[in-house]
Amino acid sequence: MAFAKITQVAHYSPTQVISNQDLSERMDTSDEWIASRTGIRKRHISQTETTSDLAAEVAKRLLKKSGLAAEQLDFIFVATISPDSMMPSTAARVQAKVGADKAFAFDVTAACSGFVFALATAEKFIRSGQYKRGLVIGSETLSKVIDWEDRTTAVLFGDGAGGVLLESSEQQTFLAESLYTDGSRGEVLQSSFVGLSSPYSNKEVDHKYLSMDGRAVFDFAIRDVAKSIQSLLATAPVAVDEIDYFFLHQANDRILDKIAKKIGVPREKLPANMMEYGNTSAASIPILLSECVDQGLIKLDGSQTILLSGFGGGLTWGTLLVTI
Ligand code: ACO
């Protein structure tokens, strides 16, 4: 029986850093407003790099860390809502950029849950026994889908990429999973930078830039997401206090405070880095995981159990419990 295991983690973010103070020079906002409501202080914004450039850099770092050649990869999945193009997919571009000739590649679109949904998908491919290893990357250049005149959204997001190498293993490391979608509430978070027009259509594009109902998203996160984590924990094969860290999507520090309280976990077990990166959607969880590996919090030696939980547009939300 084949199982899947996370064996390497890496991240990459553009070097240009935009502070809250910088933003307050372009729009009517302040460091105090942004930091007190969200925890965000900075974000990295790409100057020339595309989503596939960021993801390819992560792929190269994963290959270098693991000592693998690109031809040894069986697949590359990229979770993104800011692809370079719809076709070719960002994953196909990454496959070409790293020369992973034998890998099949596709994108996963599940907004801020994208990395968790892609990882859950990849785990099934490896568990089928047909594929041995692949990359799962979350990568975003949200700076290109944001309306930089809209202070209610522009201050929240950033660019970056993170990912993992997933390999087959004899040890079962994916311990529990729950994935959800509620399309009926999809309008609370929308983004469409692909214009819909033809000579036979008079349809207006309603939502060119990313738009959201911030209060509704906040309530969704602290109600539905907290509840889903609670129910996964209630039936999980390990006790809650045996879980070392909870890697939640980095949208807002206050959301993390409230979820930690609801699920009865000390806040110190929920690492955060939105202060440095803002909300990087599908990239937020793997960037955070990679930073925690760099800091020695995550040892990658199979001795720790972590929970990964993404939530966002769709609406989508999903949680994985994994030994790492
Ligand atoms: N700077 C200064 N003032 C602002 C800004 C800003 N950047 N943005 C909004 N305001 C103003 C509003 O205009 C409003 O002014 P008014 O009272 O004169 O009308 C006032 O601040 C309060 O606005 P609210 O929207 O009520 O502020 P709230 O306290 O709800 O915080 C926030 C807004 C931070 C967006 C919050 O609702 C939130 O965190 N929601 C979660 C949304 C989120 O994280 N989305 C990320 C994408 S989804 C995801 O990743 C899951």
Side-chain angles (χ1 to χ4, degrees):
M1 177 101 182
F3 295 109
K5 185 173 188 228
I6 294 171
T7 54
Q8 266 311 337
V9 184
H11 72 284
Y12 173 75
S13 45
T15 51
Q16 177 177 239
V17 176
I18 306 293
S19 68
N20 291 348
Q21 177 62 33
D22 295 331
L23 287 183
S24 72
E25 286 157 22
R26 303 184 55 97
M27 60 187 82
D28 183 15
T29 190
S30 65
D31 178 49
E32 196 282 322
W33 194 97
I34 303 168
S36 65
R37 281 173 178 74
T38 68
I40 297 165
R41 293 204 172 266
K42 303 171 193 169
R43 68 284 296 142
H44 293 236
I45 301 291
S46 166
Q47 284 177 296
T48 55
E49 292 164 306
T50 65
T51 296
S52 73
D53 290 332
L54 305 185
E57 187 55 39
V58 169
K60 285 176 194 162
R61 290 179 181 200
L62 286 167
L63 290 170
K64 190 163 179 214
K65 282 181 169 186
S66 62
L68 288 171
E71 310 82 67
Q72 291 176 272
L73 295 174
D74 296 321
F75 60 80
I76 298 173
F77 300 162
V78 175
T80 185
I81 50 166
S82 49
D84 297 20
S85 55
M86 293 309 295
M87 183 173 71
S89 68
T90 300
R93 290 174 186 270
V94 173
Q95 187 251 19
K97 282 176 183 171
V98 302
D101 302 346
K102 302 203 174 76
F104 67 94
F106 62 82
D107 289 356
V108 174
T109 307
C112 309
S113 312
F115 178 74
V116 168
F117 277 38
L119 189 56
T121 306
E123 187 254 343
K124 310 297 177 296
F125 274 95
I126 292 200
R127 201 139 52 81
S128 74
Q130 202 176 336
Y131 307 99
K132 294 259 172 294
R133 62 177 68 84
L135 305 183
V136 182
I137 298 170
S139 184
E140 304 282 10
T141 47
L142 293 168
S143 56
K144 74 186 177 204
V145 304
I146 286 166
D147 178 358
W148 287 98
E149 305 290 313
D150 175 10
R151 67 176 182 172
T152 68
T153 51
V155 303
L156 302 175
F157 298 94
D159 301 339
V164 300
L165 170 67
L166 202 64
E167 296 190 87
S168 72
S169 156
E170 285 171 14
Q171 182 200 358
Q172 183 167 9
T173 67
F174 281 71
L175 308 178
E177 169 186 303
S178 67
L179 307 174
Y180 300 87
T181 298
D182 180 0
S184 72
R185 285 188 280 164
E187 76 287 349
V188 305
L189 266 164
Q190 298 193 41
S191 170
S192 133
F193 62 93
V194 181
L196 290 174
S197 72
S198 81
Y200 306 103
S201 157
N202 57 6
K203 198 171 186 315
E204 295 286 323
V205 179
D206 298 332
H207 293 278
K208 192 170 172 219
Y209 295 110
L210 188 149
S211 66
M212 66 167 194
D213 175 345
R215 181 50 54 187
V217 174
F218 196 90
D219 291 346
F220 150 68
I222 63 173
R223 270 195 218 131
D224 301 74
V225 178
K227 199 169 142 206
S228 71
I229 296 174
Q230 277 169 326
S231 59
L232 179 134
L233 292 174
T235 55
V238 294
V240 179
D241 56 9
E242 289 174 318
I243 300 172
D244 295 280
Y245 292 104
F246 295 70
F247 289 91
L248 268 58
H249 169 51
Q250 301 291 294
N252 183 314
D253 211 34
R254 288 188 302 147
I255 291 178
L256 299 194
D257 285 342
K258 291 202 183 286
I259 293 182
K261 217 172 191 177
K262 282 203 165 176
I263 63 176
V265 168
R267 181 53 221 270
E268 305 78 72
K269 283 197 169 190
L270 278 65
N273 66 0
M274 81 286 286
M275 43 294 281
E276 173 68 27
Y277 298 101
N279 178 345
T280 56
S281 192
S284 89
I285 294 173
I287 293 175
L288 182 64
L289 185 59
S290 175
E291 285 200 323
C292 287
V293 171
D294 292 347
Q295 290 159 12
L297 285 182
I298 295 297
K299 303 186 191 81
L300 279 184
D301 62 359
S303 69
Q304 293 169 298
T305 303
I306 59 170
L307 181 141
L308 310 173
S309 188
F311 44 91
L315 295 176
T316 53
W317 60 113
T319 301
L320 293 170
L321 189 64
V322 177
T323 306
I324 192 165

